Amino acid sequence: MRIFKGVGLGLTLVGLAGCGPRLTDSGVLNYASTGYDKRLYDQPPKILGSLRGVDVVVEYKCSDICPNHTVRIIRFELPNGMTCNEAGGRYTYFELPPFSMQPEGGYCVPAVLLDNWDQYVK
């Protein structure tokens, strides 16, 4: 019985530590460099994993001619009180379809994506 309690506690702690695998800069860049299915525009944001302890999220934005104008955004989900710089990111704006909203200041994106923007398939 003690083994099962320990396993349950371990699973709980893993769930609190992040909602996906540990990512590396090269892994995030590799993911961002691949094509994607533009029909995913109606999916909710998804956690890809954790980069330096901060969740990396992928979401799809489309507002008018979907799915043709779908834009993929890969960004940090900043914990309360953490700055984008502390997470290892920088703010940027995406060219989104008309009527799509961006947060004030843009999205906090892993710096590796901005440093290799030409490889990022948006």
Side-chain angles (χ1 to χ4, degrees):
M1 191 65 136
R2 289 178 190 235
I3 293 172
F4 293 114
K5 286 182 183 176
V7 169
L9 177 60
L11 291 175
T12 300
L13 292 175
V14 167
L16 295 174
C19 295
R22 286 187 182 168
L23 300 171
T24 62
D25 283 338
S26 62
V28 171
L29 181 58
N30 285 339
Y31 179 82
S33 301
T34 62
Y36 63 96
D37 185 350
K38 291 187 176 221
R39 294 174 293 177
L40 295 172
Y41 70 90
D42 62 351
Q43 298 295 305
K46 173 185 168 189
I47 296 174
L48 295 176
S50 176
L51 181 62
R52 290 181 291 285
V54 181
D55 285 337
V56 176
V57 173
V58 61
E59 63 181 296
Y60 303 90
K61 298 281 188 173
C62 191
S63 65
D64 54 351
I65 303 174
C66 300
N68 294 346
H69 291 203
T70 301
V71 174
R72 177 178 62 179
I73 298 171
I74 301 169
R75 61 174 178 80
F76 280 121
E77 183 68 39
L78 296 174
N80 286 340
M82 180 178 273
T83 68
C84 187
N85 189 48
E86 290 170 337
R90 295 196 306 265
Y91 283 103
T92 192
Y93 288 98
F94 286 80
E95 286 188 38
L96 296 180
F99 311 112
S100 294
M101 300 297 293
Q102 293 192 59
E104 188 174 333
Y107 290 96
C108 179
V109 174
V112 66
L113 297 181
L114 295 177
D115 293 343
N116 298 277
W117 195 248
D118 58 321
Q119 294 179 48
Y120 186 175
V121 180
K122 298 170 258 336

